[in-house]
Amino acid sequence: MKKEVLMKIFWDPRTPIDFTPGRSQSKVEKSFEAHLREILSPGKAPELERAFALVDEVFPLLERFAEDPLSRTQAETLAGLLEDRARELEALLSELPEGPVREAFSEAALFFGVEAEKLRKGFYV
């Protein structure tokens, strides 16, 4: 089963631009394409697929929850699931090479953990 991965990269206009005279404009050591090729190498494919599967599993649940808030019991169940997925995603990070893809999954794991804690504290119920 082949899965197509599409990604959009957006510039954040709130990011300050540094026009300081004499500031060196150094190049990054590897391009995003190089990071992506490295992470899609045959040895890393299972970890990457599992990470994408975790994110694909959780985001629809969060979207559905946003449309229809849960009861306290359902929120606690969803919080447990989010926490489990965050831990699993965090464990997969050690298998992925450094770079922007790993950082994106790291941020997703952090997001899942934060949302789990907010659910437990009753922010959405």
Side-chain angles (χ1 to χ4, degrees), residues 54 77-90 116:
L54 289 169
T77 303
L78 181 58
L81 177 98
L82 285 172
E83 201 169 70
D84 291 344
R85 297 311 182 259
R87 282 193 191 110
E88 192 173 345
L89 196 53
E90 190 68 33

Side-chain angles (χ1 to χ4, degrees), residues 22-93:
R23 182 171 181 257
S24 66
Q25 298 292 325
S26 59
K27 292 189 174 199
V28 293
E29 57 188 69
K30 279 198 276 188
S31 68
F32 183 79
E33 181 182 357
H35 282 290
L36 196 56
R37 285 185 192 280
E38 182 180 345
I39 205 162
L40 292 174
S41 65
K44 300 295 179 193
E47 291 85 4
L48 185 63
E49 285 182 21
R50 182 62 187 145
F52 275 117
L54 289 169
V55 172
D56 281 344
E57 175 190 3
V58 171
F59 279 139
L61 293 173
L62 291 173
E63 286 175 4
R64 193 178 77 201
F65 172 70
E67 293 170 4
D68 184 25
L70 306 171
S71 68
R72 184 75 182 145
T73 306
Q74 292 170 320
E76 190 66 35
T77 303
L78 181 58
L81 177 98
L82 285 172
E83 201 169 70
D84 291 344
R85 297 311 182 259
R87 282 193 191 110
E88 192 173 345
L89 196 53
E90 190 68 33
L92 286 172
L93 290 176

Side-chain angles (χ1 to χ4, degrees), residues 85-119:
R85 297 311 182 259
R87 282 193 191 110
E88 192 173 345
L89 196 53
E90 190 68 33
L92 286 172
L93 290 176
S94 63
E95 302 296 321
L96 300 176
E98 289 288 332
V101 175
R102 181 178 175 179
E103 289 174 22
F105 284 123
S106 177
E107 289 180 16
L110 178 65
F111 173 71
F112 296 164
V114 168
E115 290 304 308
E117 192 60 31
K118 287 166 74 176
L119 283 165

